[in-house]
Amino acid sequence: MKRIIQKLTVAACFVATAFTVQAQNADEVFRAAGSPHNPKVQISFNRYYTAEGLAALGKKIADAYPNLVKRVSIGKSYEGRDMWMLQITNFEKGDPDRKPGFYVDGNIHSNEIQGGEISIYTAWYLTENYGDIDFVTEMLDNRIFYIVPTINPDARNNYMQEPNTGSSPRAGMIAMDDDQDGLFDEDLPDDIDGNGSITQMRRKSPTGNMIVDPQDPRKMIAIGVDDNVPADVVRYEFLGQEGIDNDGDGQVNEDPHGYYDPNRDWAWKWQPDYIQRGAYKYPFSVPENRAVADFVLAHPNIAGGQSFHNSGGMILRGPGAEEDLSTYNRADIRIYDAIGEKGEKILPGYRYLTVYKDLYSVFGGELDWFYGSRGIYTFTNEIFTSFAYYKNNEGGRRGGNLSYDVDSELLMGDAFEPWKTFNHPTYGEIEVGGFKKNFGRATPGFMLEEECHRNMAFTLYHAYHMPNLSISNVEEKDLGGGLKEITATISNDRLMPTHASQDLKYKIERPDYISIAGVDVQAGMIVEDADFGVTTEQKVNPAKLEVANIPGDGFVKVRWIVSGKGKYTITVDSAKGGLVTK
């Protein structure tokens, strides 16, 4: 029986606005473990949203949970769009600026879109589950999340709304002259069949080196040197991506959107374009990146960071280049390893890798700026892996058939545009067809919510291990003569110290302060070895001791010699570890 497949336009795949739907009656819902059972904000996570769509969803979340969310613009894009951030914490408990902060962003590359949905999912999940799931409640009581779903809103919209391939445009929307003819973006690929995707062109040719697969009309088979092709079998030649000669220079598609890469723009080990293709004028010459950097510089409480790219199923840490290898020392690599290896468990099919060693060199990358310049433990996840299609690693053993199998078996033919005839002004009669732009790099809709949840779970695990300080023990000893010795133990029961090694090396952030009030302090000291009584005295301002670092899964001891009676207060003041008082 002939299978009839309803074709949806690409525009329908990228719905820009989520309709407001009232929560269902409680007796109509049976809760699934780990998910909001009757959310105030109804969002479909089986589709992608434009920049305006993400902004609208963020506003709905902020409006629904004003005590948990503040929505702010951290800057403007090149084309003037707001860069919306959702700041998420329990704003009624503690000073939000003094809580350990975790920064999240997505979509620095235009076609790497899943980060937008993962970011919105994270905001949605945290707010909808506050008060229902203890882990979430504790996180928002004691931490703050800074979530920017897209830091490249202009190019996100271009990818979704204009004709593109699955891999274009990578950059932002600043025009450049790629073919050096004095004109900018004047010969872009053209969507000659009007389906919203730039697919492929082929032409019948007696000297062509391809034939149609007799078992599957979607596929082309290369003719080998020893193959005997019958005379009645039609040969084809490929003509590249869809397009025409817009500028009349005898070439097709030779001046696409200018190639600059916003992930080569960050002010850490930056290199110019002639050394590393994709760099723009100078570090932070891209306005979107400058806005992020200004925010991070103004928020020293940020201890962890996460950015989302696609694809390949990778959890990446720096360094981006071997030349920067010494930046990441052994102590911090142990922390990265512990979190990254947990990520491999949370994200089946993903691999924990190092950028320069396992991929290629990157200079001026966001990942390295966050860590190298600010001492923030940061990962980049490359979203989606073919493992997800059939929950195995057989993709590479399918003889190049995996995409075709997925199209027919899982997507019912919706990923491939069938070949159709077109009268080309230069090439004459040709055929146009191939995989649509929303397939390959972008997670299919039915898999997207799982992708969002697993990547969020990894993010929350990372955020959980930001410093968590407590004054775990206070001991008093009477010294006579009206003097008393007070010894306090300050514990950190998470993986991250209050200062990364890079922070300590370059003194990026101020020391931690441990102070005592309510008594007259005669002397103050850090206890180096309690068993042997080794201390280091701070002679200036002894009531406010400066501690270089409070280690992860560790502690520091401090001691004061004081006079006076009555109650006293001990306060720990750490930029990344927060405020603790006892």
Side-chain angles (χ1 to χ4, degrees):
M1 183 175 71
K2 184 177 180 181
R3 184 171 54 184
I4 300 175
I5 302 173
Q6 181 182 14
K7 298 180 182 178
L8 302 177
T9 64
V10 173
C13 295
F14 299 118
V15 177
T17 305
F19 294 101
T20 302
V21 180
Q22 296 297 320
Q24 290 179 276
N25 295 328
D27 59 0
E28 298 175 339
V29 176
F30 179 73
R31 182 171 188 166
S35 294
H37 65 290
N38 199 22
K40 287 184 181 180
V41 181
Q42 300 282 344
I43 302 177
S44 295
F45 287 102
N46 61 356
R47 66 193 70 182
Y48 294 98
Y49 299 90
T50 64
E52 289 76 19
L54 292 175
L57 293 176
K59 186 176 187 306
K60 289 182 180 181
I61 294 170
D63 289 346
Y65 294 97
N67 296 332
L68 298 178
V69 184
K70 292 190 184 304
R71 181 174 177 262
V72 299
S73 173
I74 63 169
K76 296 284 189 179
S77 69
Y78 177 74
E79 292 182 347
R81 290 180 175 86
D82 280 303
M83 297 175 61
W84 291 109
M85 169 184 281
L86 299 178
Q87 300 181 2
I88 303 178
T89 187
N90 179 359
F91 284 96
E92 297 181 339
K93 183 175 181 179
D95 181 350
D97 292 332
R98 297 310 319 277
K99 296 178 182 181
F102 195 91
Y103 173 86
V104 181
D105 72 32
N107 197 204
I108 191 172
H109 292 136
S110 60
N111 61 316
E112 302 185 4
I113 57 178
Q114 293 101 313
E117 281 64 37
I118 295 170
S119 296
I120 283 292
Y121 182 90
T122 302
W124 176 79
Y125 186 91
L126 288 172
T127 52
E128 295 289 351
N129 283 302
Y130 182 84
D132 286 342
I133 296 179
D134 290 343
F135 176 83
V136 172
T137 304
E138 181 182 349
M139 288 285 275
L140 295 192
D141 282 347
N142 298 297
R143 272 118 169 73
I144 183 167
F145 291 83
Y146 303 112
I147 301 176
V148 188
T150 174
I151 60 172
N152 198 348
D154 302 342
R156 180 183 182 89
N157 277 9
N158 181 278
Y159 167 75
M160 291 183 174
Q161 297 174 336
E162 301 297 328
N164 281 294
T165 70
S167 298
S168 69
R170 178 177 173 83
M173 300 316 299
I174 299 173
M176 298 179 74
D177 179 15
D178 268 23
D179 60 356
Q180 306 297 310
D181 65 353
L183 300 173
F184 293 80
D185 295 357
E186 85 281 3
D187 198 7
L188 302 172
D190 300 275
D191 181 19
I192 60 180
D193 63 354
N195 73 335
S197 294
I198 300 297
T199 53
Q200 298 293 314
M201 301 187 295
R202 71 185 187 187
R203 178 172 62 180
K204 295 175 182 178
S205 170
T207 59
N209 64 347
M210 307 288 290
I211 62 171
V212 174
D213 185 342
Q215 303 299 318
D216 189 337
R218 297 172 300 174
K219 301 178 189 176
M220 300 293 292
I221 301 175
I223 301 171
V225 293
D226 296 324
D227 290 342
N228 183 18
V229 180
D232 61 343
V233 173
V234 178
R235 291 171 174 253
Y236 286 87
E237 61 178 333
F238 268 120
L239 300 172
Q241 295 177 352
E242 287 183 70
I244 60 176
D245 180 12
N246 290 290
D247 53 1
D249 64 355
Q251 300 181 72
V252 176
N253 301 337
E254 86 285 356
D255 194 15
H257 281 303
Y259 186 88
Y260 81 89
D261 188 335
N263 203 38
R264 305 294 183 269
D265 179 67
W266 301 79
W268 184 261
K269 308 295 181 180
W270 183 88
Q271 296 291 340
D273 182 71
Y274 67 86
I275 293 177
Q276 178 175 240
R277 186 77 169 95
Y280 197 41
K281 297 177 181 178
Y282 47 82
F284 293 131
S285 55
V286 177
E288 295 88 346
N289 293 356
R290 177 76 264 175
V292 172
D294 287 345
F295 181 86
V296 172
L297 289 166
H299 290 79
N301 61 317
I302 297 175
Q306 176 69 49
S307 65
F308 293 109
H309 294 228
N310 78 31
S311 58
M314 291 174 276
I315 303 163
L316 297 174
R317 71 160 176 88
E322 189 172 4
E323 291 84 341
D324 200 20
L325 187 58
S326 62
T327 300
Y328 292 73
N329 76 0
R330 190 176 300 276
D332 282 348
I333 288 174
R334 281 197 293 266
I335 295 167
Y336 273 108
D337 287 350
I339 298 172
E341 288 164 9
K342 176 68 75 171
E344 289 185 326
K345 179 181 180 182
I346 294 171
L347 291 155
Y350 279 58
R351 296 165 295 152
Y352 167 53
L353 303 172
T354 304
V355 175
Y356 90 89
K357 183 170 65 175
D358 298 303
L359 294 179
Y360 43 73
S361 290
V362 172
F363 299 94
E366 180 183 17
L367 179 69
D368 286 319
W369 182 81
F370 265 73
Y371 177 75
S373 179
R374 305 310 307 155
I376 298 169
Y377 294 96
T378 306
F379 289 92
T380 288
N381 284 16
E382 296 283 354
I383 305 303
F384 195 63
T385 167
S386 60
F387 175 91
Y389 287 132
Y390 294 101
K391 305 299 183 185
N392 59 43
N393 288 311
E394 293 182 1
R397 297 193 292 272
R398 288 174 173 257
N401 291 328
L402 179 63
S403 294
Y404 295 96
D405 291 348
V406 171
D407 176 51
S408 59
E409 296 170 357
L410 297 178
L411 303 179
M412 317 310 152
D414 189 44
F416 192 91
E417 187 68 28
W419 296 98
K420 62 175 70 70
T421 301
F422 179 80
N423 188 22
H424 195 279
T426 301
Y427 299 132
E429 184 177 292
I430 66 169
E431 295 175 11
V432 180
F435 285 101
K436 301 174 185 178
K437 69 181 179 184
N438 62 350
F439 176 73
R441 299 180 71 102
T443 310
F446 78 96
M447 299 178 173
L448 184 56
E449 185 161 357
E450 179 181 357
E451 191 83 76
C452 289
H453 187 90
R454 289 185 180 276
N455 277 275
M456 178 206 67
F458 172 71
T459 297
L460 296 187
Y461 181 80
H462 184 179
Y464 174 81
H465 277 292
M466 293 189 298
N468 188 56
L469 306 182
S470 63
I471 303 170
S472 58
N473 189 43
V474 178
E475 298 175 347
E476 297 182 8
K477 180 179 179 182
D478 189 355
L479 300 179
L483 296 178
K484 181 166 53 177
E485 177 186 277
I486 299 174
T487 302
T489 301
I490 315 303
S491 298
N492 177 9
D493 64 357
R494 304 294 161 81
L495 282 172
M496 293 185 199
T498 55
H499 296 74
S501 298
Q502 182 74 351
D503 186 347
L504 294 172
K505 182 178 180 181
Y506 291 103
K507 300 186 185 303
I508 297 170
E509 192 46 66
R510 65 167 173 80
D512 300 322
Y513 300 131
I514 305 174
S515 58
I516 190 168
V519 289
D520 294 324
V521 178
Q522 307 302 313
M525 61 208 74
I526 298 171
V527 179
E528 308 289 355
D529 190 321
D531 293 322
F532 290 93
V534 179
T535 62
T536 300
E537 183 180 2
Q538 179 179 305
K539 295 184 178 181
V540 178
N541 193 15
K544 186 178 181 180
L545 298 173
E546 296 186 3
V547 176
N549 190 35
I550 303 174
D553 283 333
F555 64 90
V556 297
K557 281 182 180 286
V558 295
R559 180 172 294 159
W560 296 277
I561 308 299
V562 305
S563 59
K565 297 181 180 180
K567 294 182 178 180
Y568 55 89
T569 301
I570 298 172
T571 299
V572 182
D573 181 354
S574 171
K576 288 184 169 62
L579 278 172
V580 180
T581 300
K582 188 172 184 178

